[in-house]
Amino acid sequence: MTPTVVEYTDPMCPWAWGSEPTFRRLRELTAGRFRWRRVYGILFDLDDDPPPDPAAEAAWYHRFVREVSGHTGAHCPARLERVALSSWPASLGAKAAARQGLEDAVLRRLREAMFLRGEPADTPERVLAAAAGVPGLDPARLERDLGSPEVSAAVRADWLETRRPAPEVIGLTAPGPHCGAAKEIDGGLRYALPTLLFEGPLGRAIVPGWRPLEQYVAAADRAAPA
């Protein structure tokens, strides 16, 4: 089997945003050893109830993002226009960009819209605006793929996969600030975001939540030694 890293993530997740530098370094250190696959977990779902006071909800969530940034060192916007209406458009956009080999660059732009400018890319129009100007990107193709049944089915499969967490993370207890235990949602469970799952010839290793680089490297070595 080809060793694989599965990254459970979401474009709107502040912990995933803060983990980007660590994951980039991990990919450098394990280059050529693993195939990397992103799974979009949909942090803000379509059936979430709208807030009774959107401004108060945005202020509360902005304080949460600022608190997370205090742990991760990642940039926090000066203000947050609103809590994301849904993670679906951005997840579809990133998945559509993968068809052009530009998932990394477009995902980065989508996160910058949220965590640099405070303007979540939570509609198709905002996704396309955030991705505009990415070198090599065909914007017309991105727009077509963004609304395609194939891309929608792929993100739906991600949604389902994220809601079948491995036993190792269910009921997990570990020191904070984000231990990565599976989250209880709507009577079910989903992986905490981000979570990395390493699979290789020596088995499986899972590193959930906010962790230092050394733990990811050790997990990679347990699954598929260099």
Side-chain angles (χ1 to χ4, degrees):
M1 65 175 292
T2 301
T4 302
V5 179
V6 183
E7 177 188 352
Y8 296 95
T9 191
D10 186 280
M12 307 294 179
C13 174
W15 291 106
W17 163 246
S19 297
E20 270 202 353
T22 299
F23 290 174
R24 282 197 298 271
R25 181 60 178 149
L26 177 66
R27 294 180 83 154
E28 292 172 358
L29 293 172
T30 60
R33 205 187 338 163
F34 291 92
R35 179 177 67 90
W36 198 287
R37 179 170 68 90
R38 283 198 185 92
V39 174
Y40 293 97
I42 310 298
L43 181 62
F44 298 103
D45 215 340
L46 290 171
D47 58 0
D48 290 346
D49 294 331
D53 186 339
E57 187 80 359
W60 172 84
Y61 195 69
H62 183 241
R63 289 193 296 271
F64 171 70
V65 172
R66 189 164 57 237
E67 180 182 336
V68 172
S69 295
H71 294 293
T72 67
H75 189 276
C76 177
R79 58 175 292 276
L80 186 62
E81 179 188 65
R82 66 187 184 212
V83 176
L85 301 174
S86 169
S87 293
W88 277 93
S91 299
L92 291 166
K95 190 73 78 173
R99 294 186 155 205
Q100 300 186 47
L102 292 168
E103 181 181 19
D104 289 358
V106 170
L107 178 58
R108 175 73 186 189
R109 289 288 191 88
L110 296 169
R111 285 176 168 157
E112 287 174 348
M114 173 79 169
F115 297 109
L116 295 186
R117 298 189 296 279
E119 301 169 356
D122 55 2
T123 67
E125 295 76 19
R126 286 189 169 200
V127 169
L128 295 171
V134 167
L137 183 73
D138 180 341
R141 181 183 174 188
L142 181 68
E143 184 172 8
R144 289 195 305 272
D145 288 343
L146 184 60
S148 73
E150 295 82 7
V151 169
S152 179
V155 176
R156 173 59 62 180
D158 285 1
W159 184 97
L160 288 169
E161 182 178 344
T162 309
R163 282 151 183 79
R164 294 193 293 263
E168 294 95 315
V169 299
I170 297 175
L172 178 68
T173 57
H178 179 30
C179 77
K183 300 290 184 180
E184 294 187 10
I185 52 165
D186 301 326
L189 295 170
R190 71 158 168 79
Y191 279 109
L193 307 174
T195 290
L196 294 192
L197 187 154
F198 301 81
E199 293 183 300
L202 298 187
R204 178 172 74 185
I206 302 179
V207 186
W210 168 251
R211 304 297 176 95
L213 175 64
E214 293 76 14
Q215 290 193 28
Y216 296 109
V217 173
D221 289 340
R222 289 198 302 273

